[in-house]
Amino acid sequence: MTLLRRYIRPEDWTPAGLDGLEDKALEVVRSNNHRSVIAGPGSGKTELLAQRASYLLQCGVSPRPQRVLALSYKRDAAFNIAKRVSARCYAEQAHRFDSFTIDAFAKSLVDRFGQALPPEWRPTPDYDVVTQSRDPIFRDFFRSLTPPASVGTAADIMALSVKTFEKRWIVSRPLSTRPVPNPPPGDWAADQFWQAWLHGSARSYLTFAMIGRLAAHLVHTNPMVRQAVQLTYSHLFMDEFQDTTQVQYDLVKALFLGSDTIVTAVGDNKQQIMRFAMAMDDPFAAFEADFKAQRTPLQNNYRSSPDLVRIQEILARAIDTNTIKPASKTAASVTGSSCEVWDFHSVAAEGAALAGYVASEMKAYKLKPRDFCILVRVRAANYMKILAPIFAGAGIQLRNESEMVGEVALQELLGEPISEIVIDLLRLVSAKRAGRFWTDCLDAVCFMRGLALDDDDARAKVAAGLDKLSTDFAAIHSEPAASHAEAEAIVRMLIDFVGRQHIVASSPDYRQGDWLAKVIDAVTVHLEISCKAAANWTIALDVYEGEHAVPLMTIHKSKGLEYHTVIFVGLDDDAWFAFQSQTKEEMCGFFVAFTRAKQRVIFSYCAARGNRAGIAPLYTLLNSAGVKTIAKKST
C-alpha cells in the first residue's frame, strides 16, 4: 500500500535539486496570485515551474485530490516539465501534476465531452485531425463555392488568401458569434467551411485550431464542464506563453477567468517566433489585463557568459526597450572574442573554415561534437548537403536534426518519452555492465507504472523483470538489428515490458489520436537506420542519439536548447527573406539563435550565397555591441 506523505509547512519548504533561486523566482514559486513571468534566456523557467509545482504539491497548497495543470506550446516542453517535477517530488505527488500541450488538452476536452456540443457544432466521434498544409485544400474549397449575390461573387471568394484564411476567418472569433449576420465573403466562406468539415462527410475533419474553438464553445455551452475542470485544477502553468494563439488564450479564459484557479504564465516576449503559427501579438498584456496578473521579470541568466549576456542585452533592447538588465551567473571559459562575424567568398571556403574551427575547438577545450550547433534560418537540408561532406573530410559527422523520420522530426523524436525509454532499456540490456543504466531504467519503469518510491515489493518485481529482460534480450538480439522486422520486434518487446497502457497513462499526448503509433513507427525506422553498419549495440545507440555528431537545425528547432558554441550559417538576405516585412518576428528569431550559446557565437556570411543589404540593421546592431566582422581568406 502506498503511504501518503505528510505535507511540509510552507515556511519550512526549500527548493530541491539546486542551490537556490533568485529572489524574484522564489517569490513566484510561493505566490498565491496570478503571475505574468517574463523569463529571459537562460533564466531557468522550466526549473521555476518545477519548483513551483513541488512547493504546491509538497506543502498542500494544492490539496488532494486537486491537481496542478501545465500547458505548453511544444511536446518536448510538456515532457521536460513533467520529468523535472517527477525528479523534485515523491511519486504520489508527481502523479497529481498533469503536463499537456495546450492542443492536446483542448483535444482531450472535445474527445471526452464533444458529443455534448450543440448539433450544429458537434463533430463525429471518430473525427480526423488534419495537420498537413491547408493551402491546396482551401484553394480547391474556394473553387467549389457559389456565393449568394448578397455576399459577393466567385471572384471575391477566390481573392481570399489561402495563407491567412484559417487565422483571419475560420477561427478568428468564438463559435458563439457564428454565423455572422450579413457576412462579408471571408466570413461566409468560413461558415461554409465549418459546416463542410463538420457535416459534409461520414467523418468530421478538424485542425487543432478548430478543435480549440470547439473546446471553448463546449465550455461556453456546458457550465458543468467548466466547473469540473476548475474543481480538478487548483493551479495552472502556461509555458512559452509568448507563443500562445488567440484560440488557445480564449480557451484558457473560458475555463479559468473568474475562478479560484491560480494561473502562472511564463515566457519571454523577446523570443516570440511563432507569429506565422497564429501567435498573439502580445499575450502578456492581454493576460495581465484580463486576470489582473502581476508582472514579474527574472534577471539571472544561468546559461551564457558575461560578455554574451552583455551583447544579448543590446539585442533585447532593440526588441523591447523596457527589458530589464540581465545578470550572468556563468563564468567565461574560453579565450578570445565571444562573438564574431566571418566573411567568406565561397561556400567551399566557408565549410572548410567552419569544420577546421570545430575540430580545433574540440581539441583545445576538450569539447564533444554535441557541444556545438550549426544553426540556419531555413532550408536545413540545403545547408546539410553542402556542409556534411566538408565536415566529414575533417573527421566530423554532421546531422540534420530537422530531418523527418516518417511523420516525426528527428529532434522531436529524440525527446519523445517512448523513444527515451526504448533507448534507456537498450542501453541496459545490451551492456556488459549495467552501471547507471540500471538505476535510470528502474526509476523510469517504476514511474511509468505509477509505483511509489517506498513500494519495495513492487519495485523488486520490476528489478527482477529487468534482469530477465536482459537475459532474454541477450539470447535473441545480441547483435544490432539487421532488418526492419527485427527492429520492429525489439521495439515491441521493450514496449510490452513497460506496458503500453503505462506509457500512455504517463504521457498525455499519447492518449488521443494516432500520435503514439506514429512515434513507434519513427522509433522503429530510426533504430533500423542506426543499426546499419554498426559493429555493436553501443555504436548503434550512439548513432541513434547522435552522440558523436554536430547537430544542424533551424532556429525554430533550437528553441529551448543550449550549446557551448553556436555557429550561425547564412546571415544574408536570402536566408532572412522576410526580415523587412516581418521585422519584429525576425529580430526575435535572431535573438533566439544568439541566446542558445553558453560561451561563443560565430556568424558566417558567404558572398556567393547572397547580399546583406536587406538585413543591414542586424549587422548595425552587432557592430554597436562591439562584434567585429572578419574577412576570411580562402585556403
Side-chain angles (χ1 to χ4, degrees):
M1 179 181 295
T2 300
L3 297 176
L4 294 179
R5 301 176 190 277
R6 292 181 178 179
Y7 291 134
I8 300 171
R9 293 191 305 173
E11 59 268 27
D12 293 335
W13 181 88
T14 56
L18 74 168
D19 294 334
L21 294 169
E22 67 173 280
D23 291 344
K24 287 292 185 181
L26 191 57
E27 177 188 315
V28 172
V29 166
R30 296 178 178 274
S31 63
N32 58 5
N33 62 331
H34 301 305
R35 291 291 179 120
S36 171
V37 184
I38 307 301
S43 60
K45 66 180 179 60
T46 302
E47 187 61 47
L48 167 70
L49 293 176
Q51 294 293 342
R52 178 153 172 74
S54 174
Y55 171 78
L56 297 173
L57 296 168
Q58 291 180 339
C59 298
V61 181
S62 175
R64 304 181 189 94
Q66 286 189 296
R67 308 174 70 84
V68 176
L69 173 64
L71 297 178
S72 302
Y73 189 84
K74 295 168 64 178
R75 283 189 181 92
D76 56 352
F79 175 67
N80 287 338
I81 293 174
K83 190 174 182 180
R84 197 79 65 93
V85 171
S86 70
R88 301 287 178 261
C89 300
Y90 290 113
E92 69 269 16
Q93 296 164 341
H95 286 169
R96 291 197 293 118
F97 181 80
D98 293 334
S99 184
F100 297 85
T101 64
I102 192 165
D103 285 340
F105 182 71
K107 188 175 185 301
S108 71
L109 293 176
V110 173
D111 290 347
R112 291 167 62 196
F113 307 113
Q115 296 312 296
L117 279 161
E120 64 269 26
W121 297 111
R122 187 182 303 157
T124 59
D126 60 346
Y127 68 87
D128 272 346
V129 180
V130 177
T131 57
Q132 69 263 34
S133 171
R134 266 84 77 187
D135 291 5
I137 296 174
F138 293 155
R139 196 173 290 110
D140 290 344
F141 182 74
F142 292 164
R143 293 193 185 101
S144 72
L145 296 177
T146 304
S150 60
V151 169
T153 66
D156 293 327
I157 300 299
M158 293 305 299
L160 297 172
S161 168
V162 295
K163 296 291 185 185
T164 61
F165 183 56
E166 184 171 22
K167 178 180 180 180
R168 185 176 179 184
W169 301 108
I170 297 176
V171 296
S172 60
R173 55 169 57 91
L175 298 185
S176 57
T177 65
R178 306 202 79 100
V180 178
N182 304 313
D187 271 319
W188 180 83
D191 290 334
Q192 298 299 307
F193 189 84
W194 268 105
Q195 294 311 308
W197 271 35
L198 282 171
H199 309 301
S201 58
R203 174 179 293 180
S204 300
Y205 295 90
L206 300 168
T207 66
F208 275 115
M210 294 170 74
I211 291 170
R213 280 299 183 209
L214 288 174
H217 196 53
L218 174 67
V219 174
H220 176 75
T221 55
N222 292 271
M224 290 183 65
V225 173
R226 182 176 191 265
Q227 185 180 30
V229 174
Q230 291 175 3
L231 289 174
T232 301
Y233 297 111
S234 64
H235 293 76
L236 166 66
F237 301 165
M238 295 285 291
D239 186 29
E240 298 288 3
F241 191 64
Q242 76 277 354
D243 292 327
T244 300
T245 69
Q246 189 67 56
V247 173
Q248 295 166 342
Y249 180 66
D250 285 350
L251 174 58
V252 170
K253 267 205 315 184
L255 283 167
F256 298 110
L257 184 62
S259 74
D260 292 333
T261 303
I262 296 175
V263 184
T264 305
V266 182
D268 184 6
N269 49 1
K270 301 179 293 300
Q271 298 188 60
Q272 189 186 60
I273 59 174
M274 301 302 292
R275 289 195 181 190
F276 74 95
M278 297 195 258
M280 297 169 65
D281 288 340
D282 191 353
F284 289 100
F287 172 63
E288 289 160 11
D290 292 333
F291 285 79
K292 304 298 184 288
Q294 177 181 344
R295 176 169 288 211
T296 309
L298 301 184
Q299 181 180 25
N300 289 353
N301 184 318
Y302 299 97
R303 175 186 302 153
S304 302
S305 67
D307 194 50
L308 287 183
V309 169
R310 176 189 63 79
I311 300 171
Q312 287 174 22
E313 182 187 3
I314 294 172
L315 301 180
R317 290 196 183 280
I319 301 170
D320 180 5
T321 56
N322 295 320
T323 190
I324 67 169
K325 185 178 181 63
S328 172
K329 297 297 178 181
T330 299
S333 63
V334 295
T335 58
S337 175
S338 64
C339 182
E340 293 177 344
V341 178
W342 291 357
D343 276 7
F344 297 94
H345 288 291
S346 71
V347 293
E350 178 186 52
L354 295 179
Y357 176 75
V358 171
S360 65
E361 289 288 287
M362 282 198 291
K363 183 178 180 180
Y365 294 101
K366 295 182 172 56
L367 299 174
K368 298 178 180 179
R370 293 197 77 83
D371 288 323
F372 297 83
C373 180
I374 307 293
L375 282 185
V376 298
R377 176 67 183 86
V378 290
R379 300 185 290 271
N382 293 351
Y383 291 91
M384 182 71 181
K385 184 177 180 180
I386 295 170
L387 293 176
I390 299 175
F391 271 66
I396 301 170
Q397 182 184 355
L398 204 60
R399 182 159 92 160
N400 178 9
E401 307 238 325
S402 300
E403 185 178 6
M404 298 298 293
V405 182
E407 297 186 50
V408 186
L410 176 56
Q411 181 182 338
E412 188 175 31
L413 175 65
L414 297 178
E416 283 291 331
I418 203 162
S419 175
E420 291 199 341
I421 191 62
V422 164
I423 297 307
D424 284 348
L425 288 171
L426 279 175
R427 293 278 189 192
L428 172 64
V429 299
S430 64
K432 293 181 179 178
R433 295 177 180 173
R436 64 177 178 85
F437 304 127
W438 172 261
T439 302
D440 290 346
C441 288
L442 179 63
D443 289 345
V445 174
C446 287
F447 174 76
M448 288 185 167
R449 293 187 182 182
L451 303 180
L453 292 175
D454 58 1
D455 193 341
D456 295 334
D457 290 342
R459 292 177 70 86
K461 290 180 180 178
V462 173
L466 287 172
D467 284 336
K468 185 176 187 304
L469 179 68
S470 298
T471 301
D472 293 345
F473 184 89
I476 307 172
H477 305 291
S478 59
E479 301 295 328
S483 66
H484 181 81
E486 187 176 359
E488 192 173 42
I490 290 169
V491 172
R492 185 169 56 249
M493 177 185 190
L494 300 176
I495 291 175
D496 288 346
F497 172 76
V498 179
R500 182 183 294 249
Q501 73 277 20
H502 299 307
I503 295 173
V504 171
S506 63
S507 305
D509 278 351
Y510 296 158
R511 297 174 193 169
Q512 295 91 30
D514 58 355
W515 181 245
L516 175 60
K518 291 178 179 178
V519 174
I520 292 174
D521 287 345
V523 169
T524 302
V525 169
H526 189 46
L527 181 62
E528 176 193 2
I529 294 171
S530 302
C531 287
K532 289 181 178 178
N536 55 55
W537 272 111
T538 297
I539 294 174
L541 299 178
D542 283 350
V543 171
Y544 186 102
E545 296 188 290
E547 186 71 20
H548 305 297
V550 173
L552 181 149
M553 67 185 72
T554 62
I555 293 174
H556 284 82
K557 292 297 183 183
S558 75
K559 189 73 166 50
L561 303 176
E562 58 183 37
Y563 301 91
H564 178 279
T565 297
V566 166
I567 300 173
F568 191 95
V569 180
L571 194 58
D572 55 59
D573 294 347
D574 181 61
W576 295 82
F577 55 87
F579 184 82
Q580 293 183 324
S581 61
Q582 300 175 25
T583 303
K584 184 174 182 180
E585 184 175 352
E586 295 297 282
M587 285 290 295
C588 289
F590 186 77
F591 184 72
V592 167
F594 191 94
T595 57
R596 299 309 93 201
K598 299 178 184 179
Q599 295 291 331
R600 190 118 63 187
V601 179
I602 301 296
F603 291 104
S604 177
Y605 168 78
C606 179
R609 192 177 285 117
N611 298 318
R612 50 186 170 189
I615 60 167
L618 291 181
Y619 282 90
T620 300
L621 199 57
L622 289 173
N623 184 62
S624 70
V627 177
K628 295 181 179 179
T629 298
I630 300 173
K632 292 286 185 176
K633 297 180 180 180
S634 300
T635 55

